[in-house]
């Protein structure tokens, strides 16, 4: 029996909703939909996917309204595409917000500080529109300690905070969260530009805090009070994700694990300890009670003597993140021998091709592989992984869907083989670390490699290309990559034709990020009709001029065309960094002086 | 012999040469990068994202390879640490285990090598050599393509920076001690 919600039509939490309410009244009398609102809302409340919800809202006015009122979670992929006021007006009952800010290349220092994406204006609006807000997940946003304090004190039922790749705050902000959020279930701090002023924040969790389910402070450097941590872990009986930082020693980890046998995801601290007595015997049973563990990460400083400590849990692991451990091939092989259920594996390239052979032979269920470079800036080390390692994995792991691979050499033939072995790729990111490097055997461009990928892997959604590439690569992409949504290009192409092919040929393209390519004004303007159907376009160090950008801005008023000025201001007609995105909020009002909105 | 490397293939003029303030053509940005803590000079190129400094051997392309800056920082911190674990012998059911860990990548002893007159530094694994002579010979051979060197390497001597920070002339320590104490090497012209 659907429950009546008497408050639904009467309450007006925000004045902006008034206009929408009157529309509701109108449609009631001219109703074509046979279901009462409550039934429709109840049904629609079961729909989670934001894409499905967007579709639902387009059916008719009734469905639009029912969707509005039943939605609990909103996902905003570009914080400047919409304003917080518009969001609050349309969706009155939000409990959970995911918000992304800066362009992705800011992760690689291509976006100056103070560019924007400040979360505070959003929090201000939310504090009155969504006083019952429970979850906030931020990616690449600028977050200050004041904002964190404001968050902690304005939303009394607040439960989950996730900060990924954000910057502008310090551990003082975390203190506020720990102290004030009485119902906190999740605190997930990852890869942020955070000012680490010490580990005292963890001691700010009061003794009444027993609801934590997720605690991730692996990327913080300073030491927390172990005593406070141990007490916290022992009273939070629902803790299922615990990711420690490197300062936590092995014997401290052992003590912690005694308190949380229900743990599902563990990030260890340092995995090596100088001991006088036999180390392995002491830690041999550390994991014997962890029967629910499916993810292990951390493992800093792990050496062959200590890795066997985790063997007892390996059989049930589905995700193993070894990207902080400098393992050699034999250590990895010995470890993977026990890990037959792995679906996701992250590695450092210290394991070499031999290590990857072990991946191929031990992990037939593997779906995701990421291989990071241990020494990205040293060109002349004859280490790391090559095409041969990648091919070995593809042979043994036909279910591979998601790959990120950093290497120093590659061949077209190898990639073609890989594509044949793994036709189900949805995410393919290959980074040949030397820009513009050809097939090292044939000396030809790597066009055929990516051609093979787009031809064979029809489900491809995300692609990142590298190596020496001509316009041919982009012709292939335009012709075949019909499901591709995200494309990253660097140091590639010959002429405007390359970019034009992609813009013309890829119907599902949403994000295009380009750096250091010879694409110019004709290429930029060829996408005139395309950009409104995309989330964003980034072009830096290409051949685009200010005039072309102005033209784009003039023709398409619903796009924000932003140009970032070069610091030296060498040539005013060149547009060094261009960021184009669709927006219903108009040009942003918080742009710093070096960002010019045309 | 001047070192000229190009980012683009030989027959393409993808990146135009821009005249510097003095009217001399600037060099193309370099392909290789050896990341150092040394200072980086402001760019003078068409593209704002390159940095180059031939003399110090410090080259870099901003934001490349595309690794998250957080991960890059973490890798750099890792490299500067050395974990020393004393020789230890363990009695196990399976047999004896002998550990000798001198640094994090304990199977390798990689050090940076620079040669006077050559812009790019190289890195080598000292495990591959067993004496100063074999090391010097290999280095001469490695750098031979960049500078004119007499066959016996008479024009150069090997200097090394000890872990304590001081520079010494190669050969003052026994080889085994040398490879455990050396931090970096420079081939200096006489």
């Amino acid at each position: 029996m659907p429950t009546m919600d008497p408050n639904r039509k009467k309450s007006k939490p925000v004045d902006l909703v008034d206009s929408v309410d009157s529309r509701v009244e109108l449609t009631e009398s001219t109703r074509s939909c046979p279901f009462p609102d409550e039934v429709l809302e109840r049904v629609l409340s079961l729909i989670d996917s934001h894409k499905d919800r967007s579709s639902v809202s387009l059916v008719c006015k009734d469905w639009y309204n029912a969707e509005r009122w039943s939605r609990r979670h909103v996902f905003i992929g570009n914080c400047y595409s919409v304003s917080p006021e518009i969001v609050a007006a349309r969706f009155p009952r939000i409990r959970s917000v995911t918000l992304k800010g800066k362009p992705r290349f800011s992760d690689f220092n291509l976006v100056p500080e103070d560019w924007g994406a400040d979360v505070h204006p959003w929090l201000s609006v939310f504090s009155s529109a969504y006083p019952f807000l429970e979850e906030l997940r931020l990616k690449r946003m600028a977050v200050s300690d004041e904002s964190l304090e404001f968050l902690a004190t304005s939303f009394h039922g607040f439960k989950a905070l996730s900060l990924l790749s954000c910057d502008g705050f310090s551990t003082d902000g975390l203190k506020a969260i720990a102290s004030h959020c009485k119902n906190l279930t999740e605190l997930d701090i990852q890869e942020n530009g955070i000012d680490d002023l010490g580990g005292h924040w963890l001691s700010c969790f009061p003794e009444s805090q027993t609801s934590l389910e997720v605690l991730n402070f692996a990327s913080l450097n300073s030491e927390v009070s172990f005593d406070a941590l141990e007490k916290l872990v022992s009273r939070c009986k629902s803790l299922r994700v615990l990711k420690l930082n490197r300062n936590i020693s092995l014997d401290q980890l052992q003590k912690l694990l005694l308190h949380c046998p229900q743990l599902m995801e563990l990030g260890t601290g340092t995995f090596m300890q100088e001991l006088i007595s036999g180390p392995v015997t002491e830690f041999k049973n550390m994991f014997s009670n962890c029967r629910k563990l499916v993810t292990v990460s951390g493992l800093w400083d792990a050496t062959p003597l200590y890795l066997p400590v985790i063997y007892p849990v390996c059989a049930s692991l589905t995700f193993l993140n070894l990207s902080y451990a400098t393992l050699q091939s034999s250590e990895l092989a010995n470890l993977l021998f026990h890990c037959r259920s792995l679906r996701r594996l992250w590695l450092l390239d210290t394991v070499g091709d031999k290590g990857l052979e072990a991946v191929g032979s031990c992990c037939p269920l593997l779906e995701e592989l990421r291989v990071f470079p241990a020494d990205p800036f040293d060109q002349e080390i004859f280490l790391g992984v090559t095409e041969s390692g990648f091919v070995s994995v593809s042979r043994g792991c036909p279910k591979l869907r998601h790959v990120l691979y950093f290497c120093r050499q590659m061949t077209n033939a190898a990639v073609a083989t890989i594509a044949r072995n793994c036709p189900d790729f949805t995410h393919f990111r290959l980074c040949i670390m030397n820009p513009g490097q050809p097939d090292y055997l044939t000396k030809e461009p790597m066009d055929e490699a990516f051609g093979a990928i787009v031809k064979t892997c029809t489900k491809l959604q995300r692609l990142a290309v590298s190596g020496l590439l001509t316009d041919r690569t982009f012709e292939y992409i335009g012709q075949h990559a019909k499901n591709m949504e995200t494309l990253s290009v660097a140091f590639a192409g010959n002429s405007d034709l390359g970019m034009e092919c992609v813009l013309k040929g890829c119907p599902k393209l949403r994000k295009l990020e380009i750096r250091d390519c010879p694409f110019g004004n004709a290429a930029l303007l060829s996408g005139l009709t395309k950009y409104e159907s995309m989330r964003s376009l980034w072009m830096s160090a290409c051949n685009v001029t200010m005039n072309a950008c102005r033209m784009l801005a003039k023709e398409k008023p619903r796009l924000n065309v932003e140009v970032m000025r070069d610091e030296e201001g060498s040539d005013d007609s060149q547009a060094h960094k261009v960021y184009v995105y669709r927006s219903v909020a108009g040009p942003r009002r918080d742009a710093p002086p070096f960002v010019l909105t045309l | 012999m001047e070192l000229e490397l190009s980012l683009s293939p030989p027959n393409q003029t993808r990146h135009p040469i821009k005249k510097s303030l003095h009217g001399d053509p600037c060099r193309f940005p370099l392909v290789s990068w050896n990341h150092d803590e040394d200072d980086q000079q402001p760019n003078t190129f068409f593209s704002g994202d390159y940095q180059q400094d031939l003399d110090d051997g410090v080259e870099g392309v901003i934001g490349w390879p595309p690794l998250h800056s957080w991960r890059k920082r973490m890798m750099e911190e890792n490299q500067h640490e050395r974990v020393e674990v004393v020789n230890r012998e363990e009695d196990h059911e399976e047999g004896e285990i002998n550990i000798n860990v001198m640094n994090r990548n304990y199977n390798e002893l990689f050090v940076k090598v620079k040669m006077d007159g050559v812009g790019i530094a190289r890195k080598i694994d000292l495990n591959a050599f067993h004496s100063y002579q074999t090391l010097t010979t290999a280095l001469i051979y490695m750098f031979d393509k960049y500078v004119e060197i007499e066959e016996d390497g008479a024009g150069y001597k090997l200097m090394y920076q000890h872990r304590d920070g001081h520079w010494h002339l190669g050969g003052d320590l026994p080889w085994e001690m040398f490879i455990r104490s050396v931090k970096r090497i420079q081939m200096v012209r006489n």
Side-chain angles (χ1 to χ4, degrees):
Chain A
M1 179 68 190
T3 50
M4 283 286 288
D5 189 349
N7 293 325
R8 217 260 291 156
K9 290 192 178 67
K10 290 177 198 161
S11 72
K12 291 173 190 188
V14 181
D15 284 342
L16 296 163
V17 179
D18 275 352
S19 56
V20 184
D21 262 355
S22 55
R23 253 200 306 215
V24 168
E25 245 84 54
L26 257 174
T27 48
E28 276 231 72
S29 52
T30 55
R31 181 183 292 281
S32 51
C33 172
F35 295 114
D37 295 326
E38 292 78 22
V39 174
L40 194 52
E41 270 179 49
R42 182 61 159 235
V43 169
L44 295 182
S45 69
L46 300 171
I47 298 179
D48 285 328
S49 144
H50 66 269
K51 277 186 190 154
D52 287 343
R53 280 190 161 268
S54 291
S55 309
V56 161
S57 66
L58 293 171
V59 170
C60 65
K61 275 241 161 59
D62 283 339
W63 282 50
Y64 176 90
N65 281 319
E67 194 278 314
R68 275 178 67 222
W69 285 95
S70 64
R71 185 193 274 257
R72 295 288 171 268
H73 172 244
V74 69
F75 169 86
I76 299 157
N78 174 5
C79 65
Y80 287 121
S81 64
V82 69
S83 75
E85 290 84 2
I86 294 173
V87 174
R90 176 159 171 191
F91 302 116
R93 294 248 216 86
I94 296 295
R95 296 278 162 121
S96 164
V97 176
T98 302
L99 192 51
K100 295 188 182 179
K102 302 184 193 180
R104 195 177 75 96
F105 279 178
S106 70
D107 285 348
F108 318 132
N109 296 326
L110 283 176
V111 176
E113 272 180 46
D114 309 324
W115 178 85
D118 186 1
V119 75
H120 208 91
W122 292 85
L123 293 177
S124 297
V125 170
F126 290 166
S127 64
S128 45
Y130 308 135
F132 303 115
L133 188 70
E134 291 174 356
E135 294 182 5
L136 188 62
R137 294 173 203 288
L138 303 178
K139 188 169 183 179
R140 293 189 202 105
M141 296 290 294
V143 181
S144 66
D145 285 341
E146 288 72 35
S147 292
L148 288 175
E149 179 135 11
F150 183 78
L151 171 67
T153 49
S154 310
F155 303 93
H156 298 288
F158 193 74
K159 289 187 179 167
L161 178 65
S162 166
L163 298 172
L164 174 57
S165 221
C166 298
D167 67 289
F169 63 105
S170 76
T171 41
D172 284 350
L174 299 183
K175 275 188 197 168
I177 300 288
S179 317
H180 299 292
C181 299
K182 310 246 176 286
N183 298 320
L184 200 67
T185 58
E186 180 174 334
L187 183 59
D188 187 1
I189 311 293
Q190 282 188 60
E191 294 178 9
N192 300 291
I194 179 175
D195 238 338
D196 196 336
L197 303 172
H200 320 287
W201 60 272
L202 189 116
S203 309
C204 291
F205 281 113
E207 287 201 11
S208 51
Q209 165 53 261
T210 55
S211 48
L212 264 187
E213 296 170 25
V214 175
L215 179 62
N216 177 0
F217 62 98
S219 60
L220 296 179
N221 284 330
S222 45
E223 216 173 302
V224 300
S225 148
F226 180 70
D227 188 57
L229 176 62
E230 189 176 12
K231 292 200 172 99
L232 180 67
V233 167
S234 48
R235 59 180 189 266
C236 294
K237 300 294 177 200
S238 306
L239 195 65
R240 52 182 171 81
V241 176
L242 179 62
K243 296 195 179 169
L244 309 165
N245 68 9
R246 202 172 176 185
N247 299 109
I248 304 292
S249 67
L250 259 182
D251 58 68
Q252 287 177 331
L253 174 63
Q254 185 170 44
K255 292 197 185 106
L256 290 174
L257 288 178
L258 289 173
H259 298 295
C260 49
Q262 76 282 4
L263 213 58
M264 293 176 69
E265 295 183 28
L266 172 68
T268 75
T270 182
F271 217 72
M272 196 271 299
Q273 189 152 328
E274 259 192 66
L275 288 173
I276 315 222
S277 52
V280 176
T281 8
E282 228 175 90
F283 297 129
K284 201 165 58 178
N285 297 317
M286 198 190 313
F287 288 96
S288 48
N289 279 334
C290 299
R291 299 184 195 290
K292 291 195 174 173
L293 216 51
V294 290
T295 296
V296 171
S297 60
L299 295 170
W300 278 290
D301 320 313
T303 63
L305 192 63
Y306 291 89
L307 274 177
V309 170
I310 66 166
Y311 288 178
V313 284
C314 284
S316 46
L317 287 186
T318 55
F319 179 23
L320 185 53
N321 180 354
L322 297 170
S323 65
Y324 313 134
T326 49
L327 297 187
Q328 309 299 308
S329 58
S330 48
E331 296 153 31
L332 179 67
N334 292 335
L335 175 58
L336 289 182
F337 178 78
H338 303 270
C339 303
R340 304 279 165 171
S341 310
L342 275 186
R343 306 285 197 275
R344 300 172 65 198
L345 179 61
W346 293 16
L347 297 171
L348 276 186
D349 65 358
T350 50
V351 302
D353 288 333
K354 280 212 87 185
L356 294 179
E357 274 172 40
V359 175
S361 34
C362 297
C363 308
L365 301 175
L366 201 68
E367 294 171 9
E368 176 178 328
L369 175 69
R370 299 196 195 192
V371 182
F372 297 97
D375 245 329
F377 298 105
D378 280 302
Q379 194 201 15
E380 298 297 343
I381 296 197
F382 299 102
L383 261 193
V385 293
T386 71
E387 78 280 7
S388 136
F390 201 163
V391 171
S392 308
V393 176
S394 73
R395 269 198 217 113
C397 310
K399 296 190 176 182
L400 262 188
R401 290 192 314 216
H402 188 138
V403 168
L404 170 62
Y405 198 81
F406 285 85
C407 59
R408 290 184 177 89
Q409 67 186 46
M410 190 51 62
T411 67
N412 288 308
V415 179
T417 304
I418 291 160
R420 267 197 310 275
N421 291 339
C422 304
D424 293 335
F425 277 130
T426 57
H427 296 66
F428 189 84
R429 292 188 284 165
L430 175 62
C431 180
I432 303 166
M433 289 191 273
N434 206 1
Q437 183 173 298
D439 177 322
Y440 81 99
L441 286 181
T442 65
K443 307 302 182 201
E444 288 180 352
M446 296 296 297
D447 297 334
E448 297 308 312
F450 294 103
I453 290 289
V454 294
K455 283 177 202 161
T456 319
C457 308
T458 52
K459 302 178 199 159
L460 196 69
Q461 292 167 22
R462 183 171 183 185
L463 180 64
V465 299
S466 61
L468 176 64
L469 300 175
T470 71
D471 286 342
R472 202 78 221 263
T473 298
F474 304 102
E475 281 173 36
Y476 286 142
I477 292 174
Q479 271 168 9
H480 299 278
K482 297 304 176 188
N483 284 315
M484 188 182 72
E485 298 177 12
T486 306
L487 177 64
S488 301
V489 186
F491 306 105
N494 305 120
S495 73
D496 288 335
L497 180 67
M499 187 170 161
E500 285 169 12
C501 284
V502 172
L503 289 169
K504 248 189 297 229
C506 300
K508 296 209 179 156
L509 190 64
R510 288 187 309 116
K511 282 181 283 182
L512 181 56
E513 40 187 38
I514 302 171
R515 63 165 293 182
D516 294 276
C517 296
F519 303 138
N521 296 336
L524 175 72
L525 294 171
S526 73
L528 211 62
T529 50
K530 181 89 176 175
Y531 300 133
E532 274 176 11
S533 66
M534 289 169 55
R535 184 187 293 175
S536 64
L537 165 74
W538 168 283
M539 281 179 86
S540 61
C542 297
N543 283 349
V544 174
T545 67
M546 292 293 289
N547 282 336
C549 295
R550 285 192 193 102
M551 198 177 318
L552 177 61
K554 185 155 167 254
E555 293 294 317
K556 291 285 163 186
R558 285 190 297 196
L559 294 178
N560 280 357
V561 180
E562 294 181 7
V563 176
M564 261 177 268
R565 260 193 251 276
D566 201 24
E567 276 148 24
E568 279 88 51
S570 46
D571 193 343
D572 275 334
S573 66
Q574 291 290 333
H576 292 280
K577 286 179 185 167
V578 181
Y579 184 48
V580 179
Y581 56 92
R582 64 182 175 191
S583 176
V584 296
R588 57 178 177 125
R589 280 160 286 174
D590 64 349
F594 59 84
V595 173
L596 196 61
T597 308
L598 302 175
Chain B
M1 183 171 80
E2 298 282 43
L3 193 61
E4 282 194 43
L5 293 180
S6 168
L7 198 61
S8 48
N11 294 323
Q12 290 195 7
T13 48
R14 191 182 303 164
H15 298 284
I17 302 178
K18 185 177 172 181
K19 297 273 181 194
S20 74
L21 291 172
H22 310 291
D24 302 322
C26 300
R27 300 195 198 293
F28 284 139
L30 290 174
V31 165
S32 62
W33 39 87
N34 289 295
H35 196 71
D36 250 338
E37 306 79 38
D38 302 340
D39 42 283
Q40 295 155 343
Q41 300 203 348
N43 77 91
T44 51
F45 285 96
F46 158 69
S47 157
D49 293 331
Y50 294 123
Q51 298 166 327
Q52 65 118 28
D53 181 357
L54 274 175
D55 294 327
D56 287 347
V58 175
E59 305 96 28
V61 179
I62 295 182
W64 192 265
L67 266 185
H68 199 291
S69 49
W70 173 82
R71 186 177 279 279
K72 247 174 29 195
R73 273 198 303 274
M74 195 193 49
M75 293 283 120
E76 280 160 22
E77 279 162 20
N78 268 0
Q79 281 185 16
H80 288 141
E81 286 181 38
R82 287 187 172 221
V83 174
E84 286 186 22
V85 174
V86 176
N87 259 341
R88 195 183 292 143
E89 267 162 3
E90 296 273 320
D91 279 306
H92 260 244
E93 286 151 26
E94 297 89 273
E96 286 183 12
I97 300 174
N98 191 332
I99 312 155
N100 183 2
V101 177
M102 290 311 289
N103 58 36
R104 192 168 315 286
N105 297 322
Y106 59 89
N107 281 336
E108 301 124 17
L109 288 169
F110 277 95
V111 291
K112 235 180 219 173
V113 186
K114 280 209 66 185
M115 178 167 267
D116 274 358
V118 180
I120 308 171
R122 302 278 293 248
K123 246 192 182 181
I124 51 164
D125 179 1
L126 289 179
N127 278 318
F129 311 101
H130 57 270
S131 70
Y132 289 101
Q133 190 51 52
T134 49
L135 171 63
T136 313
T137 308
L139 290 179
I140 301 287
Y141 178 72
M142 200 160 62
F143 285 109
D144 187 43
K145 11 186 170 79
Y146 301 116
V147 283
E148 300 273 328
I149 306 178
E150 300 81 5
E151 263 187 39
D152 60 356
Y156 287 84
K157 56 176 183 270
L158 188 147
M159 302 280 300
Y160 73 95
Q161 185 182 29
H162 193 277
R163 254 182 306 164
D164 61 20
H166 294 119
W167 284 88
H168 303 263
L169 186 62
D172 61 338
L173 288 180
W175 176 256
E176 285 298 321
M177 250 176 121
F178 165 73
I179 60 175
R180 274 154 182 55
S181 330
V182 61
K183 204 170 135 183
R184 63 172 78 188
I185 294 172
Q186 181 124 359
M187 295 296 279
V188 174
R189 232 195 298 254
N190 281 333

